[in-house]
Amino acid sequence: MGADRVVLDLEGLQQLFDRLVKQGYDLVGPTVREEAIVYDHVRTVADLPVGWTDEQEGGSYRLKKSDDERVFNYAVGPQSWKRFLFPPIVRLWQADRKKNTETVKDMHQAKRYAFIGVRSCEIHAIAIQDKVFLKGEYVDSEYKARRESALIVAVNCSHASSNCFCASMQTGPKATFGYDLALTEVTANGSHYFLVDVGSERGASLVDLIPHRTVTEVESRAADQVSEAVRISKVLDTTDIKGLLYRNYENPRWIEVANRCLTCGNCTLVCPTCFCNTVYEVTELAGRHAERWRRWDSCFNVEFSYIHGGSIRSSPMSRYRQWMTHKLGTWIHQFGTSGCVGCGRCITWCPVGIDITEESRAIRENEKSMVQTGGMQVPNA
Ligand code: SF4
Ligand code: SF4
């Protein structure tokens, strides 16, 4: 491998894109669409959200023009990379009846993606989905085909939204693993460049093919200060969080949050680690053709937990409790890691602004007061 750190200018970034396209990658990166920053096909640096930033609160997301021409000056938007690695809907196989029954299996024609602008919390989220889809007893071949060929160009965060809490989950704001290249965007004294950390042989050979220069000590320090300067104000206390949630199935806070929750499932759809899905068949009426599809589902849907004769989570309270307890507690038991990377999407995109950090804090405080008063508190007491 060549140098671990080099510098690219904007033209160099464009040449990186050109080189990736030449090598057959399908470039996916952040772009502005319908007043949000979404992940879509990009081809040039101009397709990226140049000069845009965002403001996020509970249940609120706004784009606004920033006062400079930075390319990656925003926090994560509504989409995550799971929509490419684990697409919202996919045909698993199809079968045609001819003279003799013949099954035509869909071959996984996964695209060779190059993901541009992957944040540290998102790399952690991908690693979590890797555990789910690749490292258990059954390997998901659909996911595997997409994941193995994906190239990751990370971006170290220079801006956190008020809903980010990656510091609490130890998932950001600086990428530490899981990338081929990691960019830090620096604007200082009229210059605008990207410091590139090389994370793999594949990344190193790419860098060798594009114009770059050696990094100076001053530039290296300036890049390190970018992530160090990010202020993350939201906190989730993870102390014994699994034990806390296991002890509090009957905490009255679940009733309070259920009164606000619309069970719309937004939080699960925007979450980069949620993986619930459903599989169903469609058959042509004449019986000559059948297909099996998989699409995202959500534990907030009543049908999701339907078991011969009824749903086992019929109340909104039981569905919210299941989601949060799984995310922060039983996920650790199941996969050895939290199911939450602190990206804050579920807070921003919840139509009523329910905040997983506030809910967890309220349960902790309720538990304390229950211990002090020796009994159950009524909601809002
Ligand atoms: S917590 Fe918010 S986003 Fe999630 S299901 Fe309830 S209302 Fe919808
Ligand atoms: S639970 Fe919320 S904050 Fe945590 S990873 Fe999912 S969307 Fe992000």
Side-chain angles (χ1 to χ4, degrees):
M1 212 150 82
D4 290 343
R5 282 195 139 180
V6 297
V7 174
L8 287 187
D9 57 17
L10 277 171
E11 178 52 30
L13 185 61
Q14 182 57 55
Q15 294 213 20
L16 172 66
F17 287 9
D18 296 342
R19 185 54 63 175
L20 288 168
V21 170
K22 236 184 222 162
Q23 293 186 358
Y25 284 101
D26 191 349
L27 253 60
V28 183
T31 194
V32 175
R33 203 178 65 213
E34 294 171 23
E35 298 178 41
I37 291 172
V38 298
Y39 297 144
D40 206 344
H41 301 281
V42 292
R43 180 63 188 84
T44 69
V45 173
D47 294 333
L48 304 176
V50 182
W52 287 99
T53 190
D54 57 12
E55 277 180 351
Q56 303 189 33
E57 299 292 338
S60 158
Y61 177 95
R62 296 278 177 276
L63 276 193
K64 62 173 195 179
K65 285 305 262 182
S66 58
D67 50 11
D68 59 29
E69 292 295 292
R70 271 185 287 168
V71 179
F72 297 107
N73 185 22
Y74 56 86
V76 291
Q79 296 178 342
S80 66
W81 305 98
K82 87 172 177 186
R83 71 176 297 106
F84 298 95
L85 296 173
F86 167 52
I89 185 159
V90 71
R91 183 171 58 194
L92 296 175
W93 57 260
Q94 56 184 330
D96 281 308
R97 180 183 300 196
K98 296 195 178 148
K99 263 191 193 153
N100 301 312
T101 304
E102 186 181 331
T103 304
V104 183
K105 245 194 153 187
D106 268 359
M107 297 309 293
H108 302 298
Q109 291 168 337
K111 293 191 172 160
R112 201 164 163 237
Y113 287 119
F115 295 148
I116 311 294
V118 184
R119 303 309 175 106
S120 177
C121 64
E122 300 186 300
I123 292 176
H124 281 265
I126 292 171
I128 288 172
Q129 288 214 324
D130 285 353
K131 282 200 170 195
V132 174
F133 291 120
L134 303 179
K135 301 196 176 148
E137 204 174 333
Y138 303 101
V139 170
D140 187 299
S141 52
E142 180 70 38
Y143 181 90
K144 187 168 186 259
R146 292 163 189 271
R147 176 70 175 104
E148 280 182 346
S149 58
L151 179 127
I152 292 184
V153 179
V155 166
N156 291 320
C157 291
S158 58
H159 160 86
S161 88
S162 63
N163 288 335
C164 294
F165 56 100
C166 60
S168 299
M169 308 314 287
Q170 298 178 344
T171 59
K174 190 172 170 20
T176 53
F177 75 103
Y179 56 79
D180 294 287
L181 297 173
L183 312 180
T184 306
E185 184 171 27
V186 184
T187 48
N189 307 324
S191 55
H192 185 182
Y193 60 89
F194 299 92
L195 190 138
V196 184
D197 284 303
V198 177
S200 71
E201 290 291 345
R202 192 162 52 158
S205 31
L206 268 168
V207 163
D208 286 344
L209 297 171
I210 52 176
H212 63 269
R213 60 182 172 79
T214 322
V215 63
T216 66
E217 231 175 80
V218 173
E219 287 169 333
S220 201
R221 215 174 315 121
D224 289 339
Q225 282 166 358
V226 167
S227 299
E228 285 163 18
V230 177
R231 291 285 155 260
I232 295 159
S233 47
K234 196 173 279 295
V235 172
L236 189 147
D237 180 359
T238 57
T239 315
D240 187 30
I241 187 100
K242 178 161 77 92
L244 174 78
L245 292 166
Y246 280 21
R247 290 192 302 273
N248 280 279
Y249 290 128
E250 303 302 333
N251 194 299
R253 181 69 183 192
W254 300 120
I255 300 169
E256 201 275 341
V257 68
N259 284 338
R260 289 180 287 138
C261 176
L262 309 173
T263 67
C264 64
N266 265 16
C267 48
T268 58
L269 300 181
V270 294
C271 179
T273 65
C274 278
F275 59 88
C276 289
N277 61 83
T278 190
V279 172
Y280 58 96
E281 271 88 39
V282 282
T283 316
E284 186 211 28
L285 279 178
R288 287 181 300 243
H289 183 79
E291 300 185 348
R292 175 171 289 180
W293 289 77
R294 180 175 75 187
R295 67 166 166 74
W296 289 356
D297 205 338
S298 168
C299 54
F300 280 94
N301 292 337
V302 185
E303 307 80 37
F304 187 72
S305 63
Y306 186 96
I307 297 174
H308 60 82
S311 169
I312 57 165
R313 293 184 208 111
S314 55
S315 68
M317 188 201 85
S318 60
R319 301 208 282 286
Y320 186 88
R321 180 178 59 190
Q322 149 62 25
W323 177 71
M324 193 173 126
T325 305
H326 189 210
K327 269 295 112 171
L328 300 175
T330 49
W331 204 297
I332 298 172
H333 178 81
Q334 200 177 1
F335 299 110
T337 169
S338 173
C340 174
V341 297
C343 71
R345 286 181 176 92
C346 56
I347 307 169
T348 301
W349 297 95
C350 171
V352 291
I354 291 172
D355 180 337
I356 190 170
T357 66
E358 273 174 31
E359 294 315 310
S360 151
R361 189 177 306 119
I363 284 172
R364 203 178 281 280
E365 279 165 13
N366 260 3
E367 183 186 56
K368 261 191 223 148
S369 71
M370 282 193 279
V371 169
Q372 279 159 10
T373 56
M376 194 77 93
Q377 302 295 292
V378 291
N380 297 324

